[in-house]
Amino acid sequence: MLTTSHKLRLSRSEVEDFLFRQAEYIDSRDYESWLSLFTPDALYWIPVRPTDTDPETQLSFMYDDLPTMVARCERLLAFGTAGQQPITRSSHVVSNVRVNDATSNGELVVHSRFHVTQFRRDVLKSYAGAYTHHLVATDEGVKIRLQRVDLIDCDGIHDTILQIYL
Amino acid sequence: MSASLATSERNDTAAELDVGRLVEPERIHRRVFTDPDVFELEMDSIFGRSWIYVGHESQIPQPGDYFTTQVGRQPVVMTRHTDGQIYVLENRCPHKGALVCPERSGHAKRFMCMYHGWRFDGDGSLVSVPVHSGYDGTSFDPKDPGNGMKRLPRVKNHRGFVFASLSADIPDFDAWAGEGLRGLDNMIDRAPDGSVEVVGDCYRTVQNSNWKIFVDNMSDGMHTSFVHHQMARAAQRTLEKFKGQGRPGGLDVAAMLAGEPDQMAKVDLVAHPNGHFDMAAFAPELKGPEADQYKAALIARHGKEGAEVVLQRNYHNVLMFPTIVMQASLQQMRVIRPLSVDKTLLEIWAFRLKGAPESFLRRAVTGANLANSPSNVVAADDFEAYFRVHAGLKGPQSEWISLHREANRDIPVGTSLKGHSGNSEVCMRNMYKAWHAYMTAQ
Ligand code: FES
Ligand SMILES: [Fe+2]
């Protein structure tokens, strides 16, 4: 996959279509399509505190590179994974999309809000917060280089393990 | 203290149960895990009468810093006073009992209770009571500093790790810890500068199961190839696919659990007096130029032979009963804070070995993200097992669970017991022996 050098420009509705599609892939457990939305050097980061700046030396909820994302998705789909008996179902709502100007390295920075409801074994669980997406143009279309997920309860007590991507 | 419990589980056939009979050498009664009355007694007899881990001194480096947590059911605050000393206080106002420090951590020149404005120093001393004339002629002296926040009667700072006890009348820390200390000491000894510090804040996750189901799992070699099979295989396949990629401490460690049911057989399991144990490490050591520099730094500190001893000892799981389960070789510590009979809070900390290369810290962080975070892929499958055990044990019909594996083959080593193999249930048997002693002590 080659990143093209030109600045990525997308309208809000084009960005919305993209974000809705990535959310739909998770909700329909189509992880192969979902993973194809990311660049090879992509990072998926859920900080554990609102103030965290360095995921290399601070704990995170998730700080996945692409290999980790692939392995995580394989675990979710593997036959017999203990934590997915029963499976987790999810439903995303993505909203409040704001498109920034492209940054100097050609990335388009997009802010939005999400509300994800998950259901597993009689328990309904809600996750809410803000997305920051760094999108780039490649010869295979628009891809995500960074997905940052800021949960409003990131530093709270968690009585459910978050198993699927937000 | 009464060792006899009235039943709170109406379906049980016995109306009354002697807690001393819940533990046998090779089997445990299900009510050890499910009975709320047993839990209450544990809070008094174990969490009220042993050395409970509070926190690390690096969490409160400056005078005025504080950290709040709980010792058993007691809310406490660990402070650093202006005298530089660390105190562990009941986080409770002596007036009406309000929490004085409401935040998990913070900094305050003095503590002021938000309810009626009583003020306290970092060592708990009462500083002032507004409109104190109201106490003239009463039996309460608002000028007596001793009328402040109560100090826990026993506090021990072991190389930066602060423990405390709600009871004055317990054995000294060293006698309590014994050989059970060697895992914690080894992690500290591995720091070229001789000390460690916490990395930021901890994770806080809750298991919906009894705390001892988690502890039992920590020495359970036989579960690994079943519970972690899918993730281990996923990690293995992914590493093959992305040749040479993957951060140390992440998928490489997860992939190690992809073996046969007896994959942990060769791992040393040693049970120590008072319920403690350690399990030898199996994760690969870091290699490369940074690791060589690190070894040189350790030799500079401990000498050649000393450094060898430090590096030869290497532990995966270390239990200091009842609150600490360390993953020493991965620089992590899980602190057990039971909330109720079927809810268990873990505080999960990662540590920086001072003087060690940054890659060591990165590996600890990667490992914590993948194995211990609230969105981890290793304990996610363990938690499912804990939940199912607790749910299965709620049924009153069958009473006992088994601790028989390799029970006739334990190997005495000094005052400790080594399991015949890494599949042995020796550490569980040893822990329940200590549990029984605490619960039946008069
Ligand atoms: S309860 Fe603290 S001042 Fe009254
Ligand atoms: Fe496990």
Side-chain angles (χ1 to χ4, degrees), chain B residues 93 95-98 113 115-118:
Chain B
C93 180
H95 181 214
K96 300 275 189 236
C113 180
Y115 204 2
H116 313 92
W118 291 24

Side-chain angles (χ1 to χ4, degrees), chain A residues 60 63 72 74-75 121, chain B residues 203 237 247 375 381 384:
Chain A
S60 296
Y63 180 56
R72 211 184 266 271
E74 256 203 56
R75 170 184 173 274
R121 187 186 279 128
Chain B
Y203 297 128
R237 278 195 298 268
R247 306 171 177 138
S375 56
D381 296 320
E384 176 68 12

Side-chain angles (χ1 to χ4, degrees), chain A residues 49 56-57 60-63 67 72 74-75 79-83 85 120-121 155 157-159 161-162, chain B residues 199 201 203-206 208 230 237-238 247 358 362 365 369-370 373-375 377 380-381 384 387-388:
Chain A
R49 284 174 305 186
E56 300 276 336
T57 58
S60 296
F61 247 72
M62 276 191 210
Y63 180 56
R72 211 184 266 271
E74 256 203 56
R75 170 184 173 274
F79 177 78
T81 296
Q85 293 177 326
R120 176 169 188 266
R121 187 186 279 128
D155 50 359
I157 289 179
H158 296 273
D159 64 358
I161 297 289
L162 172 65
Chain B
V199 180
D201 201 358
Y203 297 128
R204 289 181 300 156
T205 58
V206 169
N208 293 302
Q230 284 77 9
R237 278 195 298 268
T238 306
R247 306 171 177 138
E358 201 70 357
R362 284 167 201 265
V365 165
N369 290 347
L370 218 59
S373 90
S375 56
V377 291
D381 296 320
E384 176 68 12
F387 172 83
R388 290 196 201 179

